[in-house]
Amino acid sequence: MAFTLPKLPYDYTSLEPSIDAQTMQIHHGKHHQTYVTNVNAQVEKFPELKNLGLVTLNESVGTSKIPKEAATAVRNNGGGHWNHSFFWKVGPIPHFEQTMQGPHEWTIWQVER
């Protein structure tokens, strides 16, 4: 399974002025993409990993499912990919004050959808 960079649920400019578009482009399009590229390189190198989803792949680090020589790269890059994918959904909140009553309400909304 090849992993892909998830599309952001908002535009790069949506977090301005707190986070500018260029920072978002670098963080999403380059930094997060690097995690995706690197975890995919491990999946290509070790074909036995191809049928594992991202959560299972990360959960399997330290078990016999992940070759020892791949464990660090899978942990760092698979974990980084998962963390960033989660962050884009629940971390930055564009125009939050206009749509929700507080961070707790936002988190519940994200989890329930």
Side-chain angles (χ1 to χ4, degrees):
M1 165 183 306
F3 299 105
T4 59
L5 184 68
K7 184 171 172 26
L8 287 179
Y10 43 82
D11 188 72
Y12 286 146
T13 60
S14 296
L15 302 176
E16 292 181 337
S18 299
I19 303 174
D20 65 275
Q22 183 179 14
T23 298
M24 287 299 298
Q25 289 168 339
I26 291 169
H27 198 155
H28 179 256
K30 293 185 180 181
H31 175 69
H32 186 173
Q33 180 61 57
T34 299
Y35 285 129
V36 173
T37 300
N38 290 343
V39 74
N40 280 333
Q42 294 304 306
V43 170
E44 285 299 314
K45 189 174 178 181
F46 300 96
E48 63 267 36
L49 305 179
K50 285 188 180 195
N51 293 322
L52 300 178
L54 187 59
V55 171
T56 302
L57 184 70
N58 285 313
E59 289 175 340
S60 299
V61 172
T63 72
S64 61
K65 287 185 180 180
I66 307 295
K68 289 183 191 239
E69 57 269 32
T72 298
V74 168
R75 181 189 66 234
N76 293 346
N77 295 288
H81 176 33
W82 187 92
N83 287 337
H84 280 73
S85 296
F86 180 73
F87 176 77
W88 301 129
K89 289 181 183 176
V90 300
I93 305 167
H95 311 296
F96 180 74
E97 66 283 350
Q98 297 170 12
T99 59
M100 299 286 177
Q101 298 301 310
H104 181 69
E105 184 179 343
W106 172 263
T107 302
I108 291 170
W109 180 76
Q110 284 294 324
V111 170
E112 289 178 348
R113 60 183 203 140

